[in-house]
Amino acid sequence: MPELPEVEALAQDLRGRLVGRAISRVDLAAFSALKTFDPPLHALHGTLVDGVTRHGKFLDIDASGVHLVVHLARAGWIRWRDEVPALPARPGGKNPLAARVVIDDPDLDVHPGLDITEAGTKKGLAIYVVRDPQEVEGIARLGPDPLSDDFTVETLREILAREGRKQIKGVMRMQSIIAGIGNAYSDEILHAARMSPFKPANSLEDDDLQTLYDAIRTTLGDAVARSSGLAASELKGEKKSNLAVHGRTGQACPVCGDVVREVSFADSSLQYCPTCQTGGKPLADRRMSRLLK
């Protein structure tokens, strides 16, 4: 799933490609992906792109005051094309198409654009056309952005105290609590902080709180820096090649050499290093996980 660093890099990449250019049309291939009806999709036709920004994991293309907002969910992606077909987009193909944004460029004989795709059978990608991004419920209820200047150690302290005994991994993944962190980067942050994913949120002493705060800022900040300037086609590979524990079950921890382990749930899994994070004790691989005795 694209998380804060990848969506930030996509926003940067598209900002350079789209700002100041006109949207010729938007083709919708997967009708279930469009979650709004007013303004209509054709309100974007003929508009000029003023900016591309990010809200948590949401991508926001501002076109003459009409916002095309995209949430890529688990398997969505955006692909830039130097030339898109003249015929309207249709569903299907190797990378199943949800929508296509066609750019009007009078200096070219062809139309460039971007394809919004979603792989797999579980469709969660969402497209919104709104006058204000806050009209999107998921954006309106976002928690603070962990890379913003307003996200301080005290902000994190208040969040964790409010969440009580909830497991810290789950707290970090809740978008209404902290925006932009998903399954992969929560694993990476907790590994960097040398902290169990099941540690209660309100149990952190001052030193642990500072360690977790630094891990959040450094892990996400470094990922954004590595991704900055990369084309969309390079972002997935960059992310995967720099993960320490997430998706690396059975491999050696790059810090201590212990074997990276996994805890599986109904629709997801987490990875961690026992030596770095749980005092050498493996976590029980069941939904009611607790340290094995």
Side-chain angles (χ1 to χ4, degrees):
M1 177 185 290
E3 299 179 34
L4 185 156
E6 295 80 56
V7 180
E8 178 64 31
L10 281 172
Q12 292 177 10
D13 182 45
L14 293 177
R15 195 176 300 136
R17 298 180 187 273
L18 296 178
V19 170
R21 303 176 82 174
I23 295 176
S24 175
R25 70 177 196 271
V26 181
D27 297 338
L28 187 64
F31 291 95
S32 62
L34 183 62
K35 306 303 181 183
T36 55
F37 62 91
D38 182 28
L41 194 62
H42 62 72
L44 291 161
H45 297 182
T47 57
L48 199 67
V49 177
D50 295 321
V52 183
T53 55
R54 174 188 62 80
H55 313 278
K57 300 179 191 177
F58 291 83
L59 188 69
D60 176 9
I61 300 173
D62 178 2
S64 301
V66 180
H67 294 258
L68 176 64
V69 176
V70 181
H71 189 282
L72 295 169
R74 178 168 293 190
W77 199 243
I78 289 180
R79 292 172 171 82
W80 177 261
R81 300 184 62 168
D82 292 326
E83 179 181 356
V84 298
L87 295 175
R90 294 183 177 181
K94 181 180 179 181
N95 297 303
L97 192 63
R100 173 175 290 148
V101 180
V102 182
I103 302 303
D104 185 17
D105 194 329
D107 296 328
L108 298 175
D109 295 329
V110 298
H111 288 287
L114 55 96
D115 284 353
I116 303 171
T117 63
E118 184 176 27
T121 57
K122 294 183 178 180
K123 302 300 183 183
L125 184 144
I127 298 171
Y128 308 83
V129 181
V130 293
R131 297 178 181 87
D132 183 339
Q134 293 299 314
E135 296 174 24
V136 178
E137 181 182 357
I139 292 178
R141 60 181 177 84
L142 283 175
D145 190 293
L147 291 184
S148 70
D149 293 339
D150 294 336
F151 189 81
T152 64
V153 174
E154 288 307 311
T155 303
L156 181 60
R157 186 194 306 276
E158 292 171 5
I159 288 171
L160 298 182
R162 186 173 65 240
E163 297 306 314
R165 301 288 297 174
K166 292 179 183 177
Q167 294 170 348
I168 199 162
K169 160 94 175 174
V171 169
M172 285 201 297
R173 289 188 61 188
M174 285 291 293
Q175 298 305 294
S176 59
I177 298 174
I178 302 174
I181 301 174
N183 195 28
Y185 283 106
S186 57
D187 281 352
E188 294 300 296
I189 289 166
L190 290 169
H191 178 259
R194 302 180 71 88
M195 198 169 291
S196 169
F198 298 132
K199 190 175 182 67
N202 65 355
S203 68
L204 272 66
E205 301 295 338
D206 287 348
D207 287 349
D208 285 341
L209 182 72
Q210 184 67 55
T211 297
L212 179 62
Y213 177 81
D214 291 342
I216 291 172
R217 300 280 283 198
T218 300
T219 301
L220 296 177
D222 287 352
V224 169
R226 289 193 306 267
S227 301
S228 181
L230 295 181
S233 60
E234 302 174 277
L235 290 174
K236 289 184 180 180
E238 191 286 327
K239 176 181 180 180
K240 186 175 181 180
S241 64
N242 283 282
L243 295 175
V245 291
H246 184 80
R248 291 172 52 88
T249 303
Q251 300 181 45
C253 169
V255 174
C256 71
D258 194 1
V259 175
V260 173
R261 296 179 182 251
E262 175 176 302
V263 175
S264 299
F265 302 96
D267 59 354
S268 66
S269 63
L270 65 83
Q271 287 78 44
Y272 69 100
C273 169
T275 295
C276 291
Q277 296 175 253
T278 60
K281 298 179 181 179
L283 296 169
D285 190 7
R286 57 181 183 269
R287 297 195 69 177
M288 299 298 290
S289 296
R290 62 179 180 268
L291 287 174
L292 289 173
K293 296 180 180 179

